[in-house]
Amino acid sequence: MVTGLVPIVRAAIEATTNYNGRTMWFGCLSVRLITLYIAEIPWNKLDSDFQCNGNVSEFCRKTCFNGHFDIAVVSFWNFILILFLASVLLMDLFASQIHHNLMKSKLKEEARRETEGHSGHTGVTSNDQAHEEIFIDFHRQKKLLSLYLLCVILRLLLEIGFMYLLVMYHLPKVAGSPINCSTGLCSGPYTCLVRGTADKRLSIFMLCTVSGAIIGTSVVFALYSTYHYMVLHRRHQVRRM
């Protein structure tokens, strides 16, 4: 699943749309992809890593396994990745639409100048220049800036919730202590254990580190964007008046 998202991210990075912070967010997404790929490796054989002591049938072992891992782990990590990717691509989608409108306006202006004899370039050259030169300015695109900050805030809340679930729910599942299991179908009690807990805990710490970095980046970037594009820009307008 992670490797399947690589072409999508690569195609998005190579797009012509450009705005402040775009490279940074796709960089965070790339780091998240690599980290998730490495973090999933110790969890690939989770079923066989769950062992119970004594004469335990396979049915009872799997019943104890389902009782202990009662919440999704790897699938949940992938779901969070999809939500993160969706928040980045959503911003790219709206930015691409605005880029398209700006490019059309610039091409019309270039065509008008060529008609008046002020430009000796061809239409193809103007088209290429429009793609290369247009950079979305958040000082002018206030609606896009509001949407941008909304995506950053949603990303921030997503990472905070993800880190909370990692620490409070996933990490205790691989604490390394023996698991006493007794169910209605298997009276037991059975003593079970999850093997390779050190590697599994390390993978969770890796994900927490990346989430913490994204949380810090989101907070700093949201504060910077609010001050630079809204507060500071408004002060400049007041001074000009």
Side-chain angles (χ1 to χ4, degrees):
M1 185 265 182
V2 175
T3 55
L5 290 175
V6 173
I8 299 176
V9 177
R10 181 180 178 183
I13 293 176
E14 294 175 352
T16 57
T17 307
N18 199 7
Y19 53 86
N20 191 22
R22 183 177 186 273
T23 303
M24 179 187 67
W25 293 120
F26 276 102
C28 291
L29 181 59
S30 300
V31 172
R32 167 60 64 82
L33 273 170
I34 297 173
T35 306
L36 183 58
Y37 177 79
I38 298 174
E40 287 182 357
I41 295 177
W43 297 79
N44 287 336
K45 298 180 180 179
L46 183 60
D47 183 40
S48 60
D49 288 338
F50 189 86
Q51 299 293 332
C52 296
N53 188 28
N55 187 17
V56 184
S57 64
E58 185 67 12
F59 175 79
C60 291
R61 188 191 69 82
K62 290 187 175 182
T63 301
C64 293
F65 174 84
N66 292 333
H68 182 67
F69 291 100
D70 53 347
I71 57 175
V73 180
V74 177
S75 299
F76 178 75
W77 297 351
N78 290 322
F79 178 66
I80 293 296
L81 174 65
I82 293 175
L83 293 180
F84 186 91
L85 175 62
S87 67
V88 175
L89 294 182
L90 178 64
M91 180 61 197
D92 234 44
L93 177 64
F94 284 96
S96 298
Q97 183 61 37
I98 292 179
H99 177 277
H100 177 70
N101 295 334
L102 292 175
M103 188 184 68
K104 287 176 61 178
S105 300
K106 187 168 184 177
L107 289 176
K108 289 181 180 179
E109 180 66 20
E110 291 289 338
R112 184 184 65 81
R113 291 180 180 179
E114 288 179 5
T115 303
E116 296 175 355
H118 296 296
S119 176
H121 298 288
T122 62
V124 176
T125 304
S126 299
N127 192 7
D128 293 339
Q129 289 177 347
H131 271 86
E132 294 175 358
E133 295 175 2
I134 291 180
F135 186 93
I136 295 177
D137 186 6
F138 285 131
H139 289 102
R140 299 178 179 179
Q141 303 293 337
K142 294 300 182 183
K143 292 183 179 180
L144 183 62
L145 176 62
S146 300
L147 179 64
Y148 192 20
L149 292 176
L150 178 61
C151 290
V152 173
I153 293 174
L154 291 177
R155 207 170 296 147
L156 174 64
L157 296 176
L158 176 68
E159 293 299 329
I160 292 175
F162 181 50
M163 181 179 288
Y164 175 79
L165 290 174
L166 284 175
V167 175
M168 300 303 298
Y169 290 93
H170 291 173
L171 190 60
K173 299 295 182 181
V174 289
S177 57
I179 303 164
N180 295 320
C181 172
S182 180
T183 64
L185 297 176
C186 301
S187 57
Y190 304 109
T191 302
C192 303
L193 191 68
V194 180
R195 299 186 302 177
T197 54
D199 292 334
K200 293 177 175 61
R201 286 197 300 269
L202 179 60
S203 65
I204 293 177
F205 292 146
M206 289 171 56
L207 293 174
C208 288
T209 301
V210 174
S211 292
I214 295 176
I215 290 172
T217 302
S218 299
V219 171
V220 173
F221 196 81
L223 294 176
Y224 166 79
S225 299
T226 302
Y227 177 77
H228 182 74
Y229 294 110
M230 292 184 176
V231 178
L232 195 61
H233 182 64
R234 186 172 298 176
R235 288 180 181 177
H236 289 322
Q237 288 181 333
V238 172
R239 290 177 182 176
R240 291 177 181 177
M241 295 175 61

